[in-house]
């Protein structure tokens, strides 16, 4: 099969399935992963797909949202490093909000047993991880639970965040950039993230470097609304400096 034929078939698979990944395509077409990456790069340059970590999605699919299980296995090492770096931002004694997200869930997993904090979250998986923590007073925000993210959304969640004030928010995003701000595929989740940001004195964004430059359907803030971005070393020093010039501190774990 010639490269243009293979690329046409890759495009068809992406449009039918909503996403393609490098490993599966390499197996299907019996070529190397590097060959598939070149195909995806060519399709990306042509404006037919948009490359994401480990694969690509059809161009224009700003509402694409991987499920929770897939997000938890994507960039796992980077997310672990980000979570450990985020421990330095925990207040000695106070209140924090933990947003729904796979990297935020990693943070919940590594919180030391000696902590004495009040934690508010609208994420069922994060609440489950923290429910037995001996030093945490846990408050679970209610609402309609989205199956894809296991996060509470809509009026109940918005009302709860309007009634509190926290020291720190650890927020997640599907995409971030100076140009497009903070984005996520779902409008209801974006509204809850926006409300959580308004409820916190300090906002810390936990996002691996593959999210940089990504743009999704629902926008919930400017990058300048973030006090600190904790990401991984995949974000180049140049990009980090550009973000810091906008007033957001950057830690590359």
């Amino acid at each position: 099969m010639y490269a243009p034929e293979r690329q046409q078939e890759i495009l068809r698979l992406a449009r039918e399935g909503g996403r393609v990944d490098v490993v599966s395509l390499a197996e299907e077409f019996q070529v190397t992963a590097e060959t598939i990456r070149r195909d995806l790069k060519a399709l990306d340059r042509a404006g037919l797909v948009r490359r994401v970590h480990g694969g690509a999605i059809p161009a224009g699919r700003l509402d694409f949202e991987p499920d929770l299980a897939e997000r938890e296995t994507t960039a796992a090492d980077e997310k672990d490093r980000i979570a450990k770096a985020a421990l330095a931002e925990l207040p000695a004694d106070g209140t924090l909000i933990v947003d729904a997200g796979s990297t935020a869930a990693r943070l919940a997993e590594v919180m030391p047993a000696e902590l004495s904090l009040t934690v508010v979250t609208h994420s069922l998986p994060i609440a489950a991880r923290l429910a037995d923590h001996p030093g945490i007073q846990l408050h679970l925000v209610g609402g309609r639970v989205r199956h894809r993210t296991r996060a509470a959304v809509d009026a109940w969640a918005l009302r709860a965040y309007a009634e509190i004030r926290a020291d720190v928010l650890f927020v997640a995003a599907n995409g971030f950039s100076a140009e497009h701000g903070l984005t996520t595929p779902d409008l209801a989740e974006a509204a809850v993230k926006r409300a959580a940001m308004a409820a916190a004195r300090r906002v810390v964004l936990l996002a691996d470097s593959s999210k940089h430059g990504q743009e999704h359907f629902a926008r919930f803030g400017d990058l300048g609304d973030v006090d600190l971005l904790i990401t991984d070393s995949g974000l180049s020093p140049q990009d980090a400096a550009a973000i810091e010039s906008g007033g957001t501190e950057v830690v590359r774990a």
Side-chain angles (χ1 to χ4, degrees), residues 76-90 102-112 170 206-207 230-231 253:
D77 292 341
E78 290 85 348
K79 290 174 180 177
D80 285 339
R81 297 200 304 271
I82 291 167
K84 290 173 183 175
L87 291 175
E89 300 305 313
L90 293 173
S102 55
T103 310
R106 292 289 212 292
L107 173 60
E109 289 178 351
V110 299
M111 285 187 180
F170 292 101
L206 307 180
I230 303 180
T231 186

Side-chain angles (χ1 to χ4, degrees), residues 151-214:
V153 296
D154 294 344
W156 286 0
L158 297 177
R159 187 161 57 246
Y161 280 125
E163 294 175 352
I164 67 169
R165 190 70 174 155
D167 295 301
V168 182
L169 161 67
F170 292 101
V171 68
N174 296 73
F176 69 93
S177 68
E179 182 179 2
H180 302 297
L182 310 173
T183 58
T184 194
D186 184 75
L187 284 169
E189 294 231 19
V192 175
K193 291 175 184 289
R194 193 179 302 115
M197 289 174 70
R201 296 181 182 89
R202 178 170 170 80
V203 177
V204 178
L205 173 62
L206 307 180
D208 66 81
S209 60
S210 70
K211 310 286 180 61
H212 181 243
Q214 297 290 331

Side-chain angles (χ1 to χ4, degrees), residues 95-117:
T95 303
L96 62 132
I97 300 169
V98 183
D99 184 24
S102 55
T103 310
R106 292 289 212 292
L107 173 60
E109 289 178 351
V110 299
M111 285 187 180
E114 63 270 17
L115 280 181
S116 178
L117 292 171

Side-chain angles (χ1 to χ4, degrees), residues 56-72:
I57 62 175
R61 283 293 307 277
L62 298 182
D63 60 341
F64 175 76
E65 185 176 17
D67 62 28
L68 193 60
E70 181 178 349
R71 290 203 311 276
E72 287 180 343

Side-chain angles (χ1 to χ4, degrees), residues 90 94-98 111 115 117-121 126 130 136-140:
L90 293 173
T95 303
L96 62 132
I97 300 169
V98 183
M111 285 187 180
L115 280 181
L117 292 171
T118 298
V119 177
V120 182
T121 186
I126 290 172
L130 295 178
I136 286 178
Q137 294 186 39
L138 179 64
H139 295 259
L140 178 59

